Amino acid sequence: MKRRIVGFGVDEAADRFALLECGHRQHVRHKPPFVNRAWTLTEAGRRRMLGRTLNCVLCNQALEDWFALSLGDALTADSRLSEIETACRDAFGAAGNSAAMAALKRHDTEASLHCEVTVYFSPAAAAVAERFGAWRCPRPRRAHLDLLA
């Protein structure tokens, strides 16, 4: 994700980094012939780059994070599922029914004798996921996922 450069600094290894508007740091090393950033070597060069944009790898990573929430036994999960579905539908409606927002559920019997329910939230549904205390996870396998909202 493109972010504006708002400042510069030097890390403990004496490598230059750009401070981005999102608060993340992005290294801006000058290592010819593969990376040519001679502008990093002078104060004037760095000053000219203020306000320009760099791709923030950490912001991009955050967009790829999914969220998971274990609801425990399927026999007792219905009220929580209903609450999550309502919150998701409200949030999705407020966001213009974004196709990137989704809540998915999986009934899993591998880990115990009982059927366990896990809800997965897409990266675009992060605000809803955090509201329910979901944790970050990798993108879930598609097998046996059902759309919740």
Side-chain angles (χ1 to χ4, degrees):
M1 182 173 295
K2 296 289 187 182
R3 300 291 191 192
R4 284 181 301 134
I5 299 171
V6 295
F8 291 94
V10 179
D11 69 10
E12 55 279 348
D15 286 329
R16 293 249 174 230
F17 63 83
L19 180 59
L20 305 177
E21 65 184 321
C22 57
H24 294 133
R25 295 175 176 187
Q26 182 77 34
H27 277 106
V28 287
R29 296 178 183 99
H30 177 61
K31 303 271 185 179
F34 301 109
V35 180
N36 283 307
R37 292 187 178 136
W39 56 266
T40 64
L41 302 176
T42 66
E43 182 66 32
R46 292 187 297 275
R47 202 172 28 251
R48 280 195 312 273
M49 292 301 289
L50 289 173
R52 300 243 180 124
T53 60
L54 289 176
N55 184 33
C56 181
V57 176
L58 293 175
C59 282
N60 286 344
Q61 244 176 3
L63 290 176
E64 296 170 7
D65 286 343
W66 281 68
F67 297 83
L69 178 64
S70 176
L71 299 182
D73 194 307
L75 295 174
T76 60
D78 282 347
S79 64
R80 289 280 289 176
L81 280 171
S82 179
E83 185 182 349
I84 291 168
E85 184 178 7
T86 300
C88 287
R89 291 190 189 282
D90 291 346
F92 297 167
N97 294 316
S98 169
M101 297 178 98
L104 307 158
K105 65 181 177 177
R106 175 180 287 138
H107 289 79
D108 186 11
T109 57
E110 289 180 23
S112 73
L113 295 174
H114 301 283
C115 183
E116 304 269 332
V117 177
T118 303
V119 176
Y120 295 94
F121 300 88
S122 69
V128 178
E130 290 170 357
R131 175 177 160 197
F132 286 95
W135 63 90
R136 290 183 188 280
C137 70
R139 184 182 189 127
R141 303 180 328 271
R142 289 186 175 195
H144 311 293
L145 281 177
D146 296 311
L147 184 65
L148 178 61

